[in-house]
Amino acid sequence: MRVGVVMPLFTQEPHYLDLALDSMARQTFRDYRLVVVVDGADDRTAAAAERWRSRLPMTLRFRRDNRGIAHSLNEGFAMLETAEYWTWISSDNVYDPDFLRVLVETLDRSPPRVGLVYSRYRIIDARGRQLPDPIPSQEWPKERLLDFCFIGPSFLYRRQFAQLAGPYEPFFDPVQDYEFWLRLTEYCDIRHIPVALMSYRIHHPSSVTTRLYADPALDRTRREKALQAVNAARRRRSQNPNGERRPEGMQLSVVIPSFNAREPLLLTLAALDRQEGAEGRFEVIVADDGSTDGTAETLATRTYRFPLRVLTLKHGGKCRARNEGIQAARHPLILSLDADMILPPLAVAGHLAHHETAPGPLAVVGGWVPVRIYPRLFSQLHPEQQRDIEILLSRSARFRERAQSAGPASDGIQTLLSCEDVSQPEVLASFAIRPSEHGHPLYAMWEAVLRRHGQNLENFRFPWMSFITGNVSFPKEEALAAGLFDERFTEWGFADWEMGYRLYRRGVSFRVDPRLTGYHQEHFVDGEHRALTARQNYRYCTEKHPTLDWYLLHKSYPGQWGVGTLQQVLEEWERLPDGDPLKIVFEAFARHFSHLAATGAFEQLREVTYDPYDRLLEWGPECAAAVRRRYAEIRRAGGEAFCRAFVELAAFPLGGGSL
């Protein structure tokens, strides 16, 4: 497949959709794949798209809620990452039979630096009659994009430059395409094709253009967002009159705390040495947390294309080491990376691109759940890891061959991958288990969050749960203002979420980009010890942040409520007026139960049932009556999630207490 095509599809007249899809079925260039993202469309539109499934090289992706064009484009292109070229089309336009052929041939003949070709187009009305074009598409130097958007609806661009530029930004709706062109052309040149290759339809009720110009408020928003996009582009280009990315642009410091992790760290650094699109724009700081395995001595003999600094510290825990690295950083952005995380080639450039287009302070998470990779085999593994090894041995000849030839090691570790292997994607894939395969207990939950709230986690009440320090970037000044990582966390559990929570309270936004997901180098972990330290750290978090979202957090794990339910409960709780007896009692229940969870005591209470109102009698019959009355009122008013949560929490004994 050479060309990936995406069609975002909201409610559309089936007649127009049929014309658009029929024009794609008639393309003379056939090596393409069309992904139609049905973005909350009505049943009639969805059914019209479904009729074309067998008549086109097409994938249909359905979503009930409407998230907008940017979300749909990002979702569609994520399914087309093997295509060489990308474009997207609208559901009411008509494309000439040679539309793709001419675009592809032009880009094929262009120098590698040319990343975008665009052509002229015709404007038609609702009946298909051609209209005069008020701004004819013609050849302009790419610098003129700062003055106006002259790239119309007929275009094709190279995937590699698009991935460097980053995803379409929902914040800039309805000019997300214009803002994307501004970023894309900072990495590549453009070329114009002086012939019309398609017909652009306006003047019908479903047309985006019609709605924009008919509604003064929407048109004002369009103009404001376009100005914001241009201002952001001018800031990025302020030090470069040619308008292309240079090292003087936004830069970041990669901070890696490391304790006795020399071998995985070397693979992590090798992957950073092979980053594309970010050359000269980042430094690496290894905060050596009192290692005794020769980490500092080994790094002193290595050279990399990036500046490397090693901070030699006394052993004080990962949070302290990370803080030392952040404070020593020379650049305004921090990319927090674990010593055992191998990044894909475009990860650093991807992090930079997100921050360069962000309208405010942003934390960018490189995937919620990493890919598991096994560059070494240990004599001791937990059951999930043993299942991974069995899968790799059965399906990967390369993995099987290296495991057999490595032989036993005196320290119980077999080394399978070298630093040179990191530059070969096919080798990494042979040693990797993706999240959808390894059955991580939180994977399905986070995937559901992304489907519902998108990569920007819009309206998600727990975005700080995405702040996982193995692969996350954020502004240094925000980390300093928030007080850095809490160094009371000296062992595993909740240190990253607690820092993310403080950033969230400061107004930092969060974004999850699965394309930046790293490979976590697997090693043995003591699950029982981690569970113990996590409970201790969780209790500390609830004492430090005595808020309902932290009290309820223990219910977010699989088999309990899930974060979707937590969000609904929190929203319904906040709608209750202050002083509401049910609201006060619910918070008391949540606080007490969270402390039981932190000590592990709730494990013994799971099979015990109680009348949910009996415990209220300890606060007196008047309180119990008031709560009982409010419970019935709220349930009748539609607060089902809150009421179910109340009954579940109230079913556990609380001991004494008073309001």
Side-chain angles (χ1 to χ4, degrees), residues 3-38:
V3 178
V5 185
V6 176
M7 174 188 282
L9 181 59
F10 187 45
T11 298
Q12 183 60 269
E13 285 294 327
H15 172 63
Y16 293 145
L17 177 60
D18 284 341
L19 290 175
L21 292 176
D22 180 67
S23 70
M24 292 305 297
R26 297 174 184 271
Q27 290 298 302
T28 57
F29 180 87
R30 305 304 300 171
D31 191 9
Y32 75 92
R33 184 79 188 171
L34 171 65
V35 174
V36 178
V37 181
V38 183

Side-chain angles (χ1 to χ4, degrees), residues 379-487:
S379 57
Q380 188 178 17
L381 296 171
H382 58 69
E384 283 186 16
Q385 293 171 324
Q386 291 173 355
R387 286 195 297 271
D388 289 348
I389 298 300
E390 292 172 2
I391 293 173
L392 291 174
L393 287 172
S394 64
R395 80 173 184 200
S396 171
R398 180 182 281 114
F399 182 87
R400 189 165 55 248
E401 178 183 341
R402 294 216 184 168
Q404 293 170 350
S405 62
S410 58
D411 56 1
I413 301 174
Q414 295 175 298
T415 299
L416 308 183
L417 288 180
S418 67
C419 291
E420 288 69 30
D421 291 321
V422 171
S423 63
Q424 303 179 56
E426 69 280 4
V427 175
L428 293 180
S430 300
F431 289 74
I433 299 287
R434 306 198 71 81
S436 56
E437 297 177 285
H438 63 55
H440 190 288
L442 299 181
Y443 173 69
M445 184 170 72
W446 298 141
E447 285 294 294
V449 170
L450 288 176
R451 285 195 301 271
R452 180 175 181 182
H453 299 280
Q455 292 186 7
N456 286 337
L457 306 181
E458 295 173 0
N459 301 316
F460 184 45
R461 302 301 302 276
F462 298 84
W464 43 274
M465 292 172 68
S466 69
F467 194 83
I468 301 171
T469 48
N471 180 7
V472 62
S473 59
F474 48 88
K476 176 180 177 178
E477 64 177 0
E478 291 294 334
L480 294 173
L484 296 175
F485 289 87
D486 190 332
E487 295 180 9

Side-chain angles (χ1 to χ4, degrees), residues 561 582 586 589 610-613 631 635 640-652:
W561 294 355
L582 194 65
F586 181 82
F589 284 173
Y610 295 84
D611 183 324
Y613 302 112
Y631 175 87
R635 188 169 186 179
E640 286 292 332
F642 176 81
C643 289
R644 288 196 305 271
F646 178 84
V647 169
E648 181 171 335
L649 288 182
F652 288 83

Side-chain angles (χ1 to χ4, degrees), residues 212-282:
L212 281 175
Y213 289 99
D215 187 334
L218 286 178
D219 188 48
R220 185 169 56 253
T221 298
R222 177 186 66 83
R223 295 175 183 273
E224 291 173 352
K225 291 296 178 69
L227 180 60
Q228 288 177 295
V230 169
N231 288 339
R234 290 188 187 278
R235 287 196 300 271
R236 293 193 300 270
R237 306 179 189 195
S238 60
Q239 297 182 2
N240 182 15
N242 295 325
E244 296 178 359
R245 294 288 175 89
R246 286 176 50 182
E248 291 85 357
M250 187 170 280
Q251 295 173 287
L252 61 75
S253 298
V254 182
V255 175
I256 307 175
S258 181
F259 175 65
N260 286 345
R262 181 182 60 184
E263 299 309 316
L265 175 62
L266 291 175
L267 295 185
T268 296
L269 294 175
L272 289 172
D273 203 37
R274 291 161 173 80
Q275 290 295 298
E276 301 173 9
E279 295 85 351
R281 303 181 63 201
F282 69 96

Side-chain angles (χ1 to χ4, degrees), residues 101-116:
R101 182 187 64 79
V102 174
L103 291 170
V104 169
E105 289 180 354
T106 304
L107 204 46
D108 281 345
R109 293 194 302 266
S110 299
R113 180 65 189 173
V114 173
L116 166 69

Side-chain angles (χ1 to χ4, degrees), residues 368-386:
W368 236 317
V369 180
V371 178
R372 291 179 182 170
I373 193 167
Y374 290 85
R376 288 166 300 280
L377 291 183
F378 295 80
S379 57
Q380 188 178 17
L381 296 171
H382 58 69
E384 283 186 16
Q385 293 171 324
Q386 291 173 355

Side-chain angles (χ1 to χ4, degrees), residues 115-167:
L116 166 69
V117 294
Y118 66 101
S119 81
R120 296 179 65 89
Y121 57 93
R122 297 172 291 272
I123 292 183
I124 59 175
D125 65 10
R127 297 183 180 181
R129 296 173 297 191
Q130 187 169 343
L131 303 174
D133 186 351
I135 308 178
S137 172
Q138 57 184 304
E139 186 170 5
W140 298 90
K142 66 179 183 179
E143 291 75 23
R144 289 298 305 276
L145 277 171
L146 291 169
D147 300 322
F148 67 102
C149 184
F150 55 81
I151 298 172
S154 178
F155 53 81
L156 187 73
Y157 50 94
R158 298 185 195 271
R159 171 185 54 80
Q160 67 185 83
F161 290 120
Q163 290 179 323
L164 287 175

